[in-house]
Amino acid sequence: MSYTPLLFIYFFCRSASSSLDLIWRLATNWRVDLSSSFNHPLPANIATSSSRQNLDANEVLYDSQPDLREIVFVIQSQSNSFHVSRAERQRADLLQQTQSLTQTPPPILLLHSLTDNEGDWSILPVLPYLSLLFGKNSSWLVFLEEETNVKVTKLLQALRKFDRRKEWFLGKPLHDEESTIIHHYAFAENPSIFKYPDFSAAWALSIPLLDRLASKVRDEPLKSDFTIDLKHEVALYIWENGQGPRLTAVPELCTEPEHSPTAQHCATTLSSPAPLCGEPVKKEDIFVAVKTCKKFHTERVPVVKKTWEREAFLLEYYSDHTDPSIPTIDLGVPNTERGHCGKTFAILERYVSDAVPKTRWLLVVDDDTLISLPRLQMLLSCYDPSEPVCLGERYGYGLGQGGYSYITGGGGMVFSRAAVVRLLASDCKCYRDDAPDDMVLGMCLNALGLPVTHSSLFHQARPEDYSRDFLAHQVPISFHKHWNIDPVAVFNRWLKDKSRSTSPRGLNKSTKEEL
């Protein structure tokens, strides 16, 4: 039997059992009384210790005595140990602030631990769950990313400006400067007209809007096959072709650095643009695999050599043709026009063999990927290579119907050795050499119960395809595609550090300061 039908059976059974398990737990274990206050036991993962673009001081404050118990915080956390630790620190900070306000602490949820559904990170599938638990006792659902700092008092003041009995979708607006592939070229005639939230600044739903969206999700199966840019897709779903509310800008939701003098009015700010976890991973600990083919030996490979190849200690080019001048290695897998599953699995096999030096990390990229290896070295210092880590820009397929997440290949896929060993020890294989390698790997990881870890610093597309304001608070690690750009100029502007490293660990002072 082929692998694909087994996966479909697996996803169906998993989705059904997950829903039944949720109903059973609600009915028997948690005993949540939604008609009363939060004095009853809550799940263990809950901590208990548009048109209005600007609002001035003369407007009505709808909640003269806002109750923190009516705000539900949802931290968009991940199951990797580094991210769990980060989210727990954020929850502890929120609890400390609320205790100083002498009010009962609000519910604080970690998104990754709410249910067993893989699609919870895409927000929409989990809305019925949140509506069921909090629809009768709360006023606001506030979503935070792990790096979002919150000043609770200022956030309460900002929310008081909105009538909680109405439907509100609040956030810091982003917009596209030009139509982009990652948004399926939506609003091509005027891309800037549609606003979607910068999740880093936090975003909020009023409970009336949550309840209506939850009913819609329950009654109408989610139609989108792919989840690519979640913040844009959530905004489109809420807008509902003009039938629902547009995003309302809240000036107090900010992405300024935490200690910036321009952030004095802000209810939310950002931690450092990339996590700092100590000394960077040694470049000798990263094996770099570049996928190419004969027709791109003279077009794309020279760009890699002019830009980021010099930062790699161990790097090999894998092609369908041996070219000693590069050099390339022919893995015996024919080049395919669509997916490259056969080639990628051959790379994984070679990585764990005696043919290459043993390293803790494997980076697989395309020949038109632009990447900063020093920044990757710094980021990887936050992760434990003894864990099965699969890191990059996360996409999703069929998440509303029990699908799976995957690391999109163009931005770079990073694997710990432990992850590669687990993958190859399973029965998971390519169903065709030209199958999409990143998606097949995602199916395999999902079947094995191994998490996919997202970092917004990896990018599947070009800088032009992302909102300018979104990139403004990032120190990006990668971009992808040479289409209609000068790739060397893009690398020099976005990814090149100011000075060359002389440090034995391969990371220069300017990179540390930038991160």
Side-chain angles (χ1 to χ4, degrees):
M1 180 182 292
S2 69
Y3 186 69
T4 305
L6 288 175
L7 285 170
F8 288 143
I9 295 170
Y10 170 79
F11 292 143
F12 175 81
C13 294
R14 182 174 185 220
S15 178
S17 65
S18 194
S19 300
L20 291 172
D21 181 60
L22 169 59
I23 295 170
W24 176 254
R25 282 186 289 171
L26 284 172
T28 61
N29 294 337
W30 292 348
R31 311 181 194 279
V32 178
D33 183 355
L34 297 177
S35 64
S36 60
S37 65
F38 290 115
N39 292 324
H40 293 272
L42 290 174
N45 51 34
I46 300 178
T48 59
S49 160
S50 261
S51 51
R52 294 178 60 184
Q53 296 299 309
N54 292 290
L55 296 160
D56 59 43
N58 296 321
E59 294 197 58
V60 175
L61 299 182
Y62 288 99
D63 289 311
S64 58
Q65 295 294 329
D67 190 337
L68 272 173
R69 293 176 300 177
E70 297 175 7
I71 299 178
V72 179
F73 290 98
V74 182
I75 300 173
Q76 294 176 241
S77 55
Q78 303 187 70
S79 60
N80 174 271
S81 61
F82 163 66
H83 291 277
V84 171
S85 174
R86 206 176 185 202
E88 290 286 5
R89 287 196 300 270
Q90 186 182 38
R91 177 157 65 177
D93 176 70
L94 287 170
L95 287 174
Q96 184 177 20
Q97 290 188 63
T98 58
Q99 287 169 359
S100 69
L101 297 174
T102 66
Q103 297 190 32
T104 302
I108 304 173
L109 316 180
L110 302 189
L111 183 60
H112 80 275
S113 61
L114 292 183
T115 77
D116 295 329
N117 181 18
E118 167 63 22
D120 283 357
W121 68 264
S122 63
I123 305 298
L124 298 178
V126 81
L127 293 183
Y129 173 98
L130 295 171
S131 175
L132 178 63
L133 255 64
F134 304 107
K136 296 186 182 299
N137 300 85
S138 304
S139 298
W140 295 97
L141 204 62
V142 178
F143 292 87
L144 312 170
E145 290 202 332
E146 293 171 11
E147 69 270 20
T148 310
N149 300 308
V150 181
K151 296 178 180 177
V152 173
T153 302
K154 289 188 176 182
L155 179 62
L156 286 171
Q157 292 171 351
L159 293 177
R160 285 170 57 195
K161 300 175 184 178
F162 301 90
D163 186 348
R164 60 186 177 179
R165 298 165 296 182
K166 297 181 179 180
E167 293 190 356
W168 291 105
F169 175 32
L170 308 179
K172 177 185 177 181
L174 299 172
H175 68 271
D176 296 334
E177 283 78 27
E178 57 184 65
S179 60
T180 169
I181 188 172
I182 64 171
H183 297 156
H184 307 289
Y185 299 105
F187 307 97
E189 294 183 1
N190 185 6
S192 65
I193 195 172
F194 185 73
K195 305 300 191 294
Y196 53 99
D198 190 333
F199 282 179
S200 298
W203 58 288
L205 303 176
S206 64
I207 293 301
L209 177 56
L210 167 66
D211 289 342
R212 184 174 64 79
L213 294 174
S215 296
K216 181 182 176 185
V217 172
R218 282 192 295 263
D219 297 340
E220 304 172 19
L222 295 169
K223 298 177 181 178
S224 176
D225 289 334
F226 288 92
T227 301
I228 295 177
D229 186 7
L230 180 61
K231 53 190 178 294
H232 190 270
E233 290 155 23
V234 166
L236 278 176
Y237 189 84
I238 293 173
W239 179 61
E240 199 176 351
N241 291 317
Q243 301 302 308
R246 289 181 177 268
L247 179 71
T248 296
V250 179
E252 293 88 351
L253 301 181
C254 309
T255 52
E256 275 80 358
E258 184 177 6
H259 302 295
S260 169
T262 63
Q264 294 181 2
H265 73 287
C266 294
T268 62
T269 55
L270 290 186
S271 304
S272 61
L276 299 171
C277 301
E279 287 299 311
V281 167
K282 295 179 181 179
K283 60 171 62 179
E284 293 88 346
D285 279 334
I286 304 175
F287 185 87
V288 183
V290 182
K291 297 181 296 180
T292 188
C293 61
K294 183 178 180 181
K295 68 178 181 178
F296 293 134
H297 286 188
T298 58
E299 179 183 338
R300 295 181 179 177
V301 170
V303 174
V304 178
K305 291 184 172 291
K306 287 179 183 176
T307 53
W308 59 268
E309 183 201 74
R310 70 192 69 176
E311 298 289 355
F313 184 79
L314 298 167
L315 180 148
E316 288 184 343
Y317 294 91
Y318 299 109
S319 180
D320 56 345
H321 175 75
T322 301
D323 184 343
S325 68
I326 293 177
T328 61
I329 296 172
D330 184 354
L331 292 171
V333 180
N335 187 58
T336 54
E337 291 297 325
R338 295 185 297 174
H340 304 284
C341 193
K343 181 182 291 184
T344 297
F345 270 78
I347 290 171
L348 298 180
E349 293 280 3
R350 181 175 173 83
Y351 173 70
V352 298
S353 74
D354 295 330
V356 299
K358 185 175 182 179
T359 65
R360 296 181 176 183
W361 298 100
L362 169 66
L363 167 66
V364 181
V365 296
D366 294 345
D367 52 10
D368 58 348
T369 302
L370 301 170
I371 191 164
S372 168
L373 293 181
R375 295 177 189 175
L376 178 61
Q377 290 172 247
M378 179 64 83
L379 180 65
L380 289 181
S381 69
C382 297
Y383 296 92
D384 183 351
S386 67
E387 297 178 2
V389 178
C390 306
L391 175 68
E393 184 178 19
R394 178 182 55 194
Y395 281 11
Y397 181 75
L399 293 175
Q401 294 84 36
Y404 57 91
S405 307
Y406 63 97
I407 298 299
T408 180
M413 299 183 289
V414 182
F415 304 94
S416 64
R417 174 169 288 272
V420 176
V421 170
R422 287 281 299 276
L423 277 166
L424 295 178
S426 72
D427 293 330
C428 185
K429 304 292 181 185
C430 300
Y431 52 88
R432 292 194 311 269
D433 278 348
D434 67 347
D437 53 350
D438 47 7
M439 295 183 72
V440 171
L441 286 167
M443 287 190 286
C444 296
L445 294 169
N446 190 60
L448 290 169
L450 300 181
V452 163
T453 301
H454 173 69
S455 170
S456 62
L457 304 180
F458 295 80
H459 302 88
Q460 170 68 14
R462 311 162 303 161
E464 289 84 347
D465 293 311
Y466 298 88
S467 168
R468 190 176 302 149
D469 288 341
F470 174 69
L471 294 179
H473 57 76
Q474 282 196 348
V475 182
I477 284 176
S478 70
F479 291 103
H480 180 229
K481 294 292 186 188
H482 294 176
W483 184 66
N484 277 0
I485 63 168
D486 177 349
V488 176
V490 167
F491 177 85
N492 289 338
R493 176 183 176 186
W494 291 97
L495 301 169
K496 185 178 180 180
D497 297 314
K498 296 177 182 178
S499 60
R500 294 278 297 155
S501 171
T502 56
S503 147
R505 287 185 175 264
L507 196 70
N508 59 58
K509 181 179 178 182
S510 67
T511 302
K512 290 184 178 181
E513 291 172 345
E514 198 172 0
L515 288 169

